[in-house]
Amino acid sequence: MLRNVVIEKQGHLFVKNDQLMIRQNGSEVRVGSFEDIGWILLEHPQLTMTQAVMARAASKNTVVIFCGDQYFPISIATPTEGNYLQGERLRWQLESSIPRKKSLWKQLVQLKIENQARLLDLIGSDSESVMYLKTKVRSGDPDNVEAQAARRYWTLLFGFQFKRDRIGMVPNPWLNYGYAILRSCVVRMLTASGLHPGHGVHHANKYNSFALADDVMEPLRPWVDRIAWSLFHEQSFRSTEMNTYLKKELLEVLQHDVQQGTYIRPMAQAVQQLAYEIAMYLGNKIDKISPLKIISLETERETWDVHEME
């Protein structure tokens, strides 16, 4: 299992003997081997690093995430090459037919709606009206059933007064943070599978550098929603400020269980398999991607390593 590292305090990152190191208050501390690190989340505005850190991270397909105001992830650094078959798989991606891309989007939307309904089931809410809409999704989702399902889903999940908005009140900031972490995972795994995360099958905004990642993460969003729902029902957490507890809870989405076909995997591994299947699908090697399902509110917790020194 790849480790996920959060650097919360001021310091200087550098490479020594192929290890990621940090210098803080005159002391040098080993953070870990790049071989074992999947993500590095940089939170403090006065963190610095050598060019070797970024080069070594890229060579090991380690994603470096930079945070801005209120510790929100605002930038993702990924390698330009992530797979020895990248040239071939990029051709698959670019040459894939429009009907095939529309069929893939249909599958992703159906999986998203199903997982939304399953989450509603798990929290004891009515799910039938959402699950029913899964059957209405056509190739390419020209009727925008995804949005219809979302309107019903958010009301059933958080109540009639809730509005999903990137700048809205709680739990919107938690959802934004969790989605950003999930997006970084999808970007990493798509790159590792030889695909370009910017060439989408549905999302196509010219300003979006990670359109394919936004496509692929759609059926995975309910895992973040589940964490936000749990936090929302802890009455002491209604502030928009991201504290350490909230961040740790949301960061752990990458370790939550996913049923993928007949297997149960941590989210990060499930995304890796999904990215591979997306590549195979775009290359006409398989006819359908494996279903991904939320299975329980219980999960094995593999916490992120939060590195801090006084």
Side-chain angles (χ1 to χ4, degrees):
M1 179 69 67
L2 291 173
R3 292 174 54 213
N4 310 290
V5 175
V6 181
I7 311 292
E8 287 189 319
K9 295 191 176 182
Q10 180 179 356
H12 178 71
L13 295 168
F14 62 100
V15 178
K16 182 177 181 180
N17 297 327
D18 204 31
Q19 305 290 306
L20 177 62
M21 306 287 292
I22 187 166
R23 183 180 297 112
Q24 291 175 311
N25 299 324
S27 299
E28 294 183 359
V29 178
R30 175 183 176 274
V31 178
S33 170
F34 285 95
E35 298 278 355
D36 302 324
I37 299 174
W39 293 266
I40 303 171
L41 185 67
L42 305 177
E43 292 191 340
H44 200 282
Q46 294 181 338
L47 272 168
T48 61
M49 70 181 71
T50 64
Q51 187 272 350
V53 170
M54 296 300 297
R56 195 62 183 148
S59 71
K60 295 301 179 181
N61 201 25
T62 298
V63 173
V64 181
I65 307 170
F66 299 88
C67 293
D69 295 340
Q70 297 184 345
Y71 310 105
F72 188 82
I74 59 170
S75 177
I76 305 170
T78 63
T80 55
E81 295 186 6
N83 187 289
Y84 71 98
L85 294 174
Q86 185 174 41
E88 178 184 58
R89 292 184 179 176
L90 277 175
R91 283 192 292 274
W92 292 353
Q93 183 179 5
L94 296 174
E95 295 172 3
S96 183
S97 68
I98 291 177
R100 194 159 187 86
K101 291 177 180 178
K102 286 185 175 182
S103 176
L104 177 58
W105 180 240
K106 174 185 176 180
Q107 293 178 59
L108 292 170
V109 170
Q110 287 182 317
L111 288 174
K112 178 181 182 179
I113 293 173
E114 180 177 351
N115 281 318
Q116 289 174 329
R118 290 175 68 88
L119 177 55
L120 292 172
D121 256 344
L122 289 169
I123 66 170
S125 186
D126 176 34
S127 63
E128 291 184 8
S129 63
V130 174
M131 185 65 85
Y132 168 75
L133 289 173
K134 176 185 174 182
T135 65
K136 298 299 183 181
V137 182
R138 296 188 290 144
S139 181
D141 192 21
D143 306 309
N144 202 9
V145 178
E146 179 197 13
Q148 298 175 44
R151 284 193 292 271
R152 298 185 187 185
Y153 169 71
W154 290 121
T155 297
L156 291 165
L157 192 64
F158 290 119
F160 285 101
Q161 295 185 353
F162 175 75
K163 181 181 178 181
R164 175 69 187 120
D165 191 334
R166 286 188 58 84
I167 59 174
M169 297 299 291
V170 164
N172 279 295
W174 310 339
L175 294 169
N176 296 340
Y177 190 91
Y179 292 157
I181 296 302
L182 188 58
R183 191 183 196 220
S184 73
C185 177
V186 174
V187 169
R188 180 189 192 277
M189 297 310 183
L190 288 172
T191 303
S193 295
L195 297 175
H196 194 293
H199 188 73
V201 297
H202 175 75
H203 289 88
N205 189 309
K206 66 181 181 180
Y207 301 110
N208 187 350
S209 300
F210 299 124
L212 182 61
D214 289 339
D215 292 332
V216 173
M217 70 178 283
E218 289 299 339
L220 307 173
R221 289 178 182 267
W223 275 263
V224 174
D225 304 343
R226 174 176 62 181
I227 299 172
W229 180 87
S230 296
L231 291 169
F232 188 73
H233 286 79
E234 295 180 28
Q235 296 298 320
S236 57
F237 293 103
R238 293 298 175 91
S239 170
T240 58
E241 184 177 348
M242 294 298 298
N243 57 42
T244 298
Y245 173 77
L246 292 170
K247 287 184 290 180
K248 283 186 176 180
E249 289 294 305
L250 291 161
L251 288 166
E252 287 172 9
V253 68
L254 299 184
Q255 310 297 346
H256 282 209
D257 286 338
V258 178
Q259 181 177 333
Q260 190 170 38
T262 58
Y263 297 92
I264 295 177
R265 299 184 169 111
M267 174 64 77
Q269 291 183 7
V271 174
Q272 182 178 26
Q273 177 64 24
L274 176 60
Y276 170 77
E277 291 185 12
I278 295 291
M280 293 299 102
Y281 182 85
L282 293 175
N284 296 308
K285 306 302 179 184
I286 60 175
D287 294 325
K288 193 174 183 179
I289 60 175
S290 299
L292 302 143
K293 296 181 181 180
I294 276 186
I295 54 176
S296 174
L297 290 176
E298 300 298 325
T299 183
E300 294 292 328
R301 294 301 179 90
E302 295 277 348
T303 60
W304 284 51
D305 297 315
V306 181
H307 185 87
E308 54 183 44
M309 289 179 59
E310 297 299 334

